[in-house]
Amino acid sequence: MKWCLSIIIIIVSINFYGIQVDAAKKSRFYYERKGDIVWEVPMKDEKLIALTFDDGPDPKYTPTILNLLQKYGAKATFFVVGDRITSFPKLAQREVREGHELANHTYSHLKVRGQEVERIEQEIEKADERIQAITGIKPYLFRPPTGYYDDRVVKAAKNQQYTIILWSWHQDTFDWRNPGVGKIVSQVLNHARSGDIVLFHDTGGDRTQTIEALKQILPKLKEEGYKFVTVSELLKHHPNYKSLYLMQQQKQHSVQ
């Protein structure tokens, strides 16, 4: 009885004092249902897939990736880091010029876990400013570094008028670990389905395996009838497209 009472007191204390339990423990469904985070877009008809690249741009690997994407007529979404596009502005400009999408990945690749809302907002805003200054494009998709999310991350993104985009759980290539070209290829090809958002990296270490894997992935998926689109293009097919926070913000802007 005393044990049960202690638990009740702890729970009440947490609620009363506003102590935050790790919000990442809230289910994916909780955030998906609210339209706060998108992992993928369920589809039945068109074979669309979104390739995404985190942490760049990188002067060594990004140009080769862009060449491969161009070769296969593929469009991708690059979740760029603000201080990196500041260092390599021409690469960011090339990404936009060739029809790819730039999205926000914070200014300094901030580890958002445990950060206050204001700190996360500052990182998003600063990266946003750099992307606009360098490319003239206003981004509105945000991916938190490492894919970590909780209520504070969601609130910061909303305050900056961003929608959080993660990736399909079955399409995390773990390429940053350099698991081997074969493993990266099989991860994508063996699990590919329409509406997927695939996670790659174009910097953060030796990305040779990523490039070699793309040389196999791109032609094979194209042969299977997949069209490579940006995340924004994929979102247009989301069943709850109009209820996503992103769409609410766009509607407000159009009215203004």
Side-chain angles (χ1 to χ4, degrees), residues 178-186 208-210 212-214 216-217:
N178 286 322
V181 174
K183 286 190 176 182
I184 297 173
V185 172
S186 62
T208 302
Q209 290 186 9
T210 302
E212 292 304 312
L214 285 168
Q216 298 180 50
I217 292 168

Side-chain angles (χ1 to χ4, degrees), residues 111-139:
K111 292 181 179 179
V112 295
R113 184 170 186 169
Q115 298 288 349
E116 295 299 325
V117 172
E118 293 77 11
R119 178 74 177 95
I120 302 170
E121 280 191 58
Q122 289 169 2
E123 281 277 325
I124 295 174
E125 184 177 14
K126 191 173 180 181
D128 184 292
E129 290 173 350
R130 296 310 302 150
I131 293 170
Q132 290 196 64
I134 290 169
T135 69
I137 300 297
K138 171 70 174 78

Side-chain angles (χ1 to χ4, degrees), residues 185-251:
V185 172
S186 62
Q187 181 66 40
V188 177
L189 296 184
N190 292 345
H191 302 93
R193 62 191 186 207
S194 189
D196 279 353
I197 297 175
V198 187
L199 175 63
F200 295 104
H201 295 79
D202 59 340
T203 191
D206 186 343
R207 297 281 73 86
T208 302
Q209 290 186 9
T210 302
I211 290 170
E212 292 304 312
L214 285 168
K215 290 178 181 178
Q216 298 180 50
I217 292 168
L218 288 167
K220 184 61 177 176
L221 288 181
K222 189 172 183 179
E223 179 185 311
E224 293 178 2
Y226 282 96
K227 180 181 179 182
F228 305 102
V229 297
T230 64
V231 171
S232 289
E233 186 63 33
L234 190 65
L235 286 178
K236 293 178 182 178
H237 300 269
H238 197 289
N240 299 321
Y241 180 67
K242 293 182 179 179
S243 66
L244 291 174
Y245 179 77
L246 164 65
M247 297 305 105
Q248 295 170 5
Q249 290 301 316
Q250 286 186 336
K251 184 177 180 181

Side-chain angles (χ1 to χ4, degrees), residues 7-249:
I7 292 177
I8 292 172
I9 291 172
I10 291 171
I11 293 173
V12 170
S13 297
I14 288 174
N15 290 333
F16 181 80
Y17 290 106
I19 300 172
Q20 185 176 11
V21 178
D22 190 353
K25 292 180 180 178
K26 289 182 178 177
S27 71
R28 165 178 168 173
F29 175 74
Y30 170 83
Y31 290 104
E32 250 178 342
R33 179 172 50 83
K34 292 179 65 183
D36 290 334
I37 304 176
V38 175
W39 278 263
E40 60 203 2
V41 178
M43 297 182 64
K44 293 183 179 179
D45 301 324
E46 269 190 283
K47 298 183 77 172
L48 305 180
I49 194 165
L51 307 181
T52 67
F53 297 87
D54 283 11
D55 303 343
D58 184 279
K60 183 174 182 180
Y61 302 108
T62 304
T64 304
I65 289 172
L66 288 171
N67 291 341
L68 284 169
L69 294 173
Q70 189 173 51
K71 179 178 179 180
Y72 293 101
K75 302 305 178 187
T77 300
F78 290 85
F79 286 85
V80 297
V81 177
D83 61 3
R84 293 196 66 82
I85 68 167
T86 299
S87 298
F88 311 109
K90 290 184 178 179
L91 281 176
Q93 291 164 355
R94 179 184 170 185
E95 288 169 345
V96 172
R97 187 169 63 250
E98 294 183 2
H100 303 295
E101 178 174 36
L102 293 193
N104 195 316
H105 200 46
T106 72
Y107 183 80
S108 64
H109 201 261
L110 177 74
K111 292 181 179 179
V112 295
R113 184 170 186 169
Q115 298 288 349
E116 295 299 325
V117 172
E118 293 77 11
R119 178 74 177 95
I120 302 170
E121 280 191 58
Q122 289 169 2
E123 281 277 325
I124 295 174
E125 184 177 14
K126 191 173 180 181
D128 184 292
E129 290 173 350
R130 296 310 302 150
I131 293 170
Q132 290 196 64
I134 290 169
T135 69
I137 300 297
K138 171 70 174 78
Y140 55 90
L141 303 180
F142 172 65
R143 175 175 287 168
T146 75
Y148 180 82
Y149 59 91
D150 61 16
D151 286 346
R152 283 183 283 189
V153 175
V154 170
K155 183 177 181 181
K158 281 188 173 183
N159 288 348
Q160 292 297 312
Q161 301 178 356
Y162 273 85
T163 292
I164 296 176
I165 303 295
L166 294 182
W167 55 85
S168 305
W169 282 352
H170 56 280
Q171 288 293 11
D172 187 343
T173 63
F174 292 101
D175 62 338
W176 57 276
R177 293 180 179 174
N178 286 322
V181 174
K183 286 190 176 182
I184 297 173
V185 172
S186 62
Q187 181 66 40
V188 177
L189 296 184
N190 292 345
H191 302 93
R193 62 191 186 207
S194 189
D196 279 353
I197 297 175
V198 187
L199 175 63
F200 295 104
H201 295 79
D202 59 340
T203 191
D206 186 343
R207 297 281 73 86
T208 302
Q209 290 186 9
T210 302
I211 290 170
E212 292 304 312
L214 285 168
K215 290 178 181 178
Q216 298 180 50
I217 292 168
L218 288 167
K220 184 61 177 176
L221 288 181
K222 189 172 183 179
E223 179 185 311
E224 293 178 2
Y226 282 96
K227 180 181 179 182
F228 305 102
V229 297
T230 64
V231 171
S232 289
E233 186 63 33
L234 190 65
L235 286 178
K236 293 178 182 178
H237 300 269
H238 197 289
N240 299 321
Y241 180 67
K242 293 182 179 179
S243 66
L244 291 174
Y245 179 77
L246 164 65
M247 297 305 105
Q248 295 170 5
Q249 290 301 316

